[in-house]
Amino acid sequence: MAVSRTRRARAARKRKRRMAAVEHDLTADQWAALKAAWNGCAYCGANDGALQRDCVMAISRGGRYTVDNVVPACAKCNTSKCNDEVTGWMRRKRLDERRFLERYIEIRGTLTADVG
């Protein structure tokens, strides 16, 4: 079987290796609680479409899917952010960084207290 050598295929294989190298412990119940707490995209506030799991600290930078590191994001924000550092990306997009950080700390504290 021939291995695809396209750029997209190489990137997919690299992502698969990164994902397998770390332990993800975000449960379906925690994801549902995160979506309910944020009530839309954590970055822009949009709540009209499907939400995706976005790592505040990207997996390529050492992050993983945990209740501490995941926020719901619309497809537009998730794609735009890519693996950028969240506060720098928010400044470039002219999004309300302070509001995000305050809500992130509040919601993270509430949900991690429920887990512990």
Side-chain angles (χ1 to χ4, degrees):
M1 181 174 147
V3 175
S4 178
R5 298 191 189 284
T6 65
R7 184 175 182 189
R8 179 176 282 165
R10 284 192 313 268
R13 286 191 300 273
K14 187 175 181 181
R15 177 175 171 74
K16 186 176 180 178
R17 284 192 304 272
R18 277 195 311 262
M19 293 291 283
V22 295
E23 184 179 331
H24 305 287
D25 61 3
L26 183 70
T27 66
D29 290 339
Q30 289 171 330
W31 173 237
L34 279 167
K35 289 193 300 186
W38 282 99
N39 194 30
C41 177
Y43 304 123
C44 70
N47 56 8
D48 56 349
L51 296 172
Q52 303 173 354
R53 293 178 179 123
D54 183 53
C55 290
V56 175
M57 178 188 284
I59 292 169
S60 63
R61 295 177 181 254
R64 58 194 189 109
Y65 287 125
T66 65
V67 73
D68 282 345
N69 192 43
V70 171
V71 295
C74 65
K76 184 177 176 182
C77 287
N78 196 7
T79 302
S80 172
K81 182 178 162 278
C82 192
N83 70 341
D84 288 344
E85 189 273 327
V86 71
T87 54
W89 171 79
M90 290 188 84
R91 283 184 207 126
R92 282 193 307 278
K93 290 294 200 176
R94 300 187 193 284
L95 295 170
D96 191 349
E97 175 187 357
R98 182 182 182 111
R99 183 188 63 83
F100 167 77
L101 291 173
E102 288 172 349
R103 288 206 59 214
Y104 174 70
I105 290 169
E106 174 190 337
I107 291 169
R108 190 178 89 176
T110 301
L111 293 178
T112 55
D114 293 344
V115 171

